[in-house]
Amino acid sequence: RLSMSTVSPDKRRKMESALNQLKKHTVVVADTGDFNAIDEYKPQDATTNPSLILAAAKMPAYQHLLDQAINYGIAKGGTEEEQVAHTMDKLFVTFGLEILKKVPGRVSTEVDARLSFDKDEMVAKALGLIALYKEAGISKERVLIKLSSTWEGIQAGKELEEKHGVHCNMTLLFSFAQAVACAEAKVTLISPFVGRILDWYKENTDRKSYEPHEDPGVLSVTKIYNYYKKFGYTTVVMGASFRNTGQVKALTGCDLLTISPGLLAELSQDHSSITEMLNVEKAKACDLEKIHLDEKDFRWQHNEDRMAVEKLSDGIRKFAADAIKLETMIKEKMLDVKNGQ
């Protein structure tokens, strides 16, 4: 048996999984509501969204959490609508609490996408979620509030960070304009999407395949990372929405990457050698100019990017649709509980 010290560094890398190599350069985050699926990959943080919570809430393994949330909602009283709203909030937080037992870092919990154009309502909903975490003994330092990266969402993030010390994760981020506005709002973290950008290019252009280094989603996150690092913004970059491990590897060195359990599994079985693609030194040497965006500029620049406009609105619609599905599921279960079934 060879002791590791006698093995050449190259050989050792070949023995090491791509996932473990990635962790040397990037904070690995699990993107799922199915927290039983993340243990073996030892991620630092985890992220959820309405679609992931809906998927997990349908699994038999998590029915007790749904029941807990429903009992809480009923106990809160009020109209059926209010009870359902309380149940939804409690369900999102309950999943977050379970996830926090599995990860040492933070969990991201998303604000209802139907509030994406209402700054004050997003702030209120976020503070309500943080209060539920606090009731359960979890400080706001371990929670990231996810907000849609609309102009209103970004301003909600700014207010939550400045006035309330609540850390935000700006999601559904597809355009460079969105990234610049988030940096200027001094939010904690952004989640620029990779896979959904690739999806759009495959659907809307003649080109159907891309090598990772020329993947439009990878290029988008790389540019955003370089811009943030070149100009010393404190907001960190967490690439999200991956379709394959090639995209993940092409962003090695990004501050964080949030990855589905399926792709984490692939990376843990993959023993090819991976190299750091993004770093601060490279970013500093980049040819990028600093820009400032007020609301009018933001809306114009974002609107110039057809892909981003379509993917942001599509993302909001999809999360909203899944929130409605979840509410319908809750209403049906609530009736059963009230009818003593």
Side-chain angles (χ1 to χ4, degrees), residues 91 96 129 133 168 173 175 212 232 328:
L91 184 66
L129 293 168
Y133 275 111
C168 297
L173 196 152
S175 71
T328 307

Side-chain angles (χ1 to χ4, degrees), residues 89-293:
D89 290 349
K90 185 68 172 174
L91 184 66
F92 277 52
V93 170
T94 303
F95 268 96
L97 293 170
E98 292 298 323
I99 287 166
L100 286 173
K101 293 176 186 171
K102 308 263 185 186
V103 300
R106 299 193 275 210
V107 68
S108 289
T109 297
E110 192 147 342
V111 162
D112 196 317
R114 290 169 291 180
L115 306 176
S116 293
F117 303 103
D118 189 331
K119 183 195 79 154
D120 294 339
E121 283 296 321
M122 280 185 271
V123 169
K125 178 66 83 178
L127 294 175
L129 293 168
I130 290 293
L132 284 174
Y133 275 111
K134 194 176 177 184
E135 263 172 45
I138 294 292
S139 95
K140 61 181 194 275
E141 296 310 314
R142 291 198 72 196
V143 182
L144 285 166
I145 293 293
K146 278 179 91 173
L147 300 160
S148 302
S149 299
T150 54
W151 178 258
E152 296 79 6
I154 296 166
Q155 301 318 304
K158 182 179 181 359
E159 186 171 315
L160 284 162
E161 299 268 4
E162 271 176 19
K163 289 192 185 162
H164 305 283
V166 168
H167 301 295
C168 297
N169 167 353
M170 304 307 303
T171 190
L172 294 177
L173 196 152
F174 302 97
S175 71
F176 188 63
Q178 287 175 297
V180 170
C182 288
E184 294 196 305
K186 295 188 166 67
V187 296
T188 296
L189 179 150
I190 60 164
S191 292
F193 281 34
V194 179
R196 293 194 199 190
I197 291 182
L198 175 66
D199 295 346
W200 189 91
Y201 279 90
K202 282 161 87 165
E203 279 163 31
N204 292 281
T205 66
D206 294 335
R207 189 154 175 193
K208 300 306 171 206
S209 73
Y210 293 84
E211 286 302 309
H213 68 275
E214 51 179 16
D215 182 304
V218 170
L219 295 177
S220 170
V221 175
T222 300
K223 181 182 177 183
I224 291 165
Y225 173 91
N226 287 339
Y227 183 83
Y228 276 29
K229 301 305 173 212
K230 183 175 174 84
F231 297 111
Y233 288 108
T234 52
T235 302
V236 293
V237 179
M238 178 170 72
S241 153
F242 292 102
R243 296 291 172 260
N244 55 64
T245 58
Q247 291 177 326
V248 175
K249 292 177 188 177
L251 291 170
T252 301
C254 193
D255 298 315
L256 308 93
L257 295 174
T258 187
I259 308 165
S260 68
L263 291 179
L264 286 172
E266 278 185 47
L267 288 164
S268 70
Q269 300 302 311
D270 175 350
H271 290 275
S272 59
S273 173
I274 69 172
T275 33
E276 183 180 61
M277 303 305 285
L278 277 57
N279 64 47
V280 176
E281 290 68 49
K282 275 195 210 173
K284 294 261 187 227
C286 260
D287 186 24
L288 288 166
E289 271 177 48
K290 192 170 184 177
I291 57 172
H292 161 68
L293 298 178

Side-chain angles (χ1 to χ4, degrees), residues 4-105:
M4 279 310 258
S5 57
T6 59
V7 177
S8 75
D10 276 353
K11 261 241 179 77
R12 196 177 313 162
R13 262 200 301 278
K14 285 201 175 64
M15 296 160 73
E16 206 174 11
S17 73
L19 181 60
N20 282 344
Q21 294 174 65
L22 178 64
K23 285 179 177 178
K24 291 175 183 166
H25 305 283
T26 290
V27 173
V28 169
V29 180
D31 193 25
T32 186
D34 179 11
F35 50 82
N36 291 331
I38 64 180
D39 259 2
E40 57 188 296
Y41 309 117
K42 302 273 176 284
Q44 172 70 20
D45 297 352
T47 50
T48 62
N49 65 41
S51 307
L52 293 173
I53 298 285
L54 173 66
K58 289 177 176 170
M59 297 179 187
Y62 301 123
Q63 287 317 295
H64 64 292
L65 298 183
L66 186 54
D67 296 338
Q68 263 177 37
I70 285 168
N71 291 331
Y72 171 89
I74 293 170
K76 279 296 227 192
T79 63
E80 184 196 35
E81 209 171 292
E82 287 166 333
Q83 289 177 30
V84 170
H86 284 304
T87 299
M88 284 271 280
D89 290 349
K90 185 68 172 174
L91 184 66
F92 277 52
V93 170
T94 303
F95 268 96
L97 293 170
E98 292 298 323
I99 287 166
L100 286 173
K101 293 176 186 171
K102 308 263 185 186
V103 300

